[in-house]
Amino acid sequence: MEYTISNGILQVTVSDQGAQVFSVREISDGTEYMWQGDPAVWKYHAPILFPHTGKVPGGSFIAKGQEFPAKSHGFARELTHTLVSHTEDKIVMELRENETTLARWPYRFRLVSEFTLEGRTLRHTLRVENHDPEAMAFGIGYHPAFRIPMTPGHTDYELRFSQAESPVCIATNAEGLLTDRTYYLGKNIKTIPVNRALFANDSHMMVGLHSKELALVEKDTGRSVTCDISGYPYVLIWSAPGEPQFVCIEPWQSTPSPAEGGNVWEEKPAAAVLQPGETYETCLKTTFSGV
């Protein structure tokens, strides 16, 4: 099922499949900002990454003394989330443990997604509740994909920081696991040109950014999508190989597993460790600016 909220400026559609934002559309001229999930290129729109971000060694982990299979980015993006409430300006969905999740992660939890519109800004709040009798470590992150061209016929795009940066990136190996190698994506820069060369070797995981915002900008019109990245230790940028048809700006609260690490869940880098009954919350604010 798909659910829509609108404020006269933007119309936002959210699907219960993964609690993904399927569409953000400019009401005045019909401009679509979100990637539409062409399965021949990349089938997702804006997946939630939970209960881990990235990959784990060998595609499995040990938790509570048992081995569990682990696909990239966890399972939240693959499952149907339940609608909690839907009003003119807010959508709330939840995912709770069930037979499917317990076969892949042995913890009882509630993951709440809340979507609200404030002018040109979409707020996507994620709340994790530990309903398990044991401490629960987890990773979490956002993975929205913004389509290009935003305006038909426009091809000149750049990523723009809100202040000058020398982005340090942590390299991953061919399996997508963290290595001990780092590199600069640039030095003393405010912009990164978007082209096929940028993503020729997959994503870039930037750490320790000073900027509060990172925007995807259509240079000749000024149309843009801006993510508030303040409070996020890791920010990734990614697109599928070839000429970019979308750009993902991904604020993460955790990392993939280290290549040299083990596969014990409790030893995996986590966003948080919740004691029974505790709650964790994070929010991605995205502003869509028309021409």
Side-chain angles (χ1 to χ4, degrees), residues 34 45-50 52-54 73 122 124 126 139-146 159 161 203-209 211-215 225-238 247-256 271 280-287:
M34 302 302 298
H45 303 256
I48 298 167
L49 313 185
F50 177 86
H52 62 88
T53 51
H73 299 320
L122 173 64
H124 181 185
L126 290 172
I140 198 164
Y142 297 88
H143 201 316
F146 307 112
L159 288 158
F161 299 102
S203 63
H204 301 279
M205 187 169 73
M206 300 177 286
V207 297
L209 294 174
S211 292
K212 296 184 181 299
E213 296 178 337
L214 178 57
V225 176
T226 302
C227 293
D228 184 340
I229 59 172
S230 56
Y232 286 90
Y234 315 102
V235 179
L236 287 81
I237 53 174
W238 176 76
V247 175
C248 293
I249 299 176
E250 308 173 39
W252 290 9
Q253 297 285 9
S254 54
T255 69
Y280 170 94
E281 188 171 289
T282 187
C283 180
L284 175 60
K285 292 175 283 189
T286 308
T287 300

Side-chain angles (χ1 to χ4, degrees), residues 49 52-56 70-74 176-177 252 255-257 268:
L49 313 185
H52 62 88
T53 51
K55 298 183 179 181
V56 299
K71 292 184 179 180
S72 181
H73 299 320
L177 302 172
W252 290 9
T255 69
S257 293
K268 176 176 167 52

Side-chain angles (χ1 to χ4, degrees), residues 151-165:
T151 307
H154 293 264
T155 59
D156 197 3
Y157 290 83
E158 67 184 14
L159 288 158
R160 187 178 298 171
F161 299 102
S162 55
Q163 67 180 74
E165 297 278 358

Side-chain angles (χ1 to χ4, degrees), residues 79-94:
L79 302 180
T80 300
H81 295 228
T82 302
L83 181 69
V84 176
S85 64
H86 179 205
T87 63
E88 289 184 0
D89 59 358
K90 182 185 294 187
I91 299 168
V92 181
M93 295 181 177
E94 68 174 11

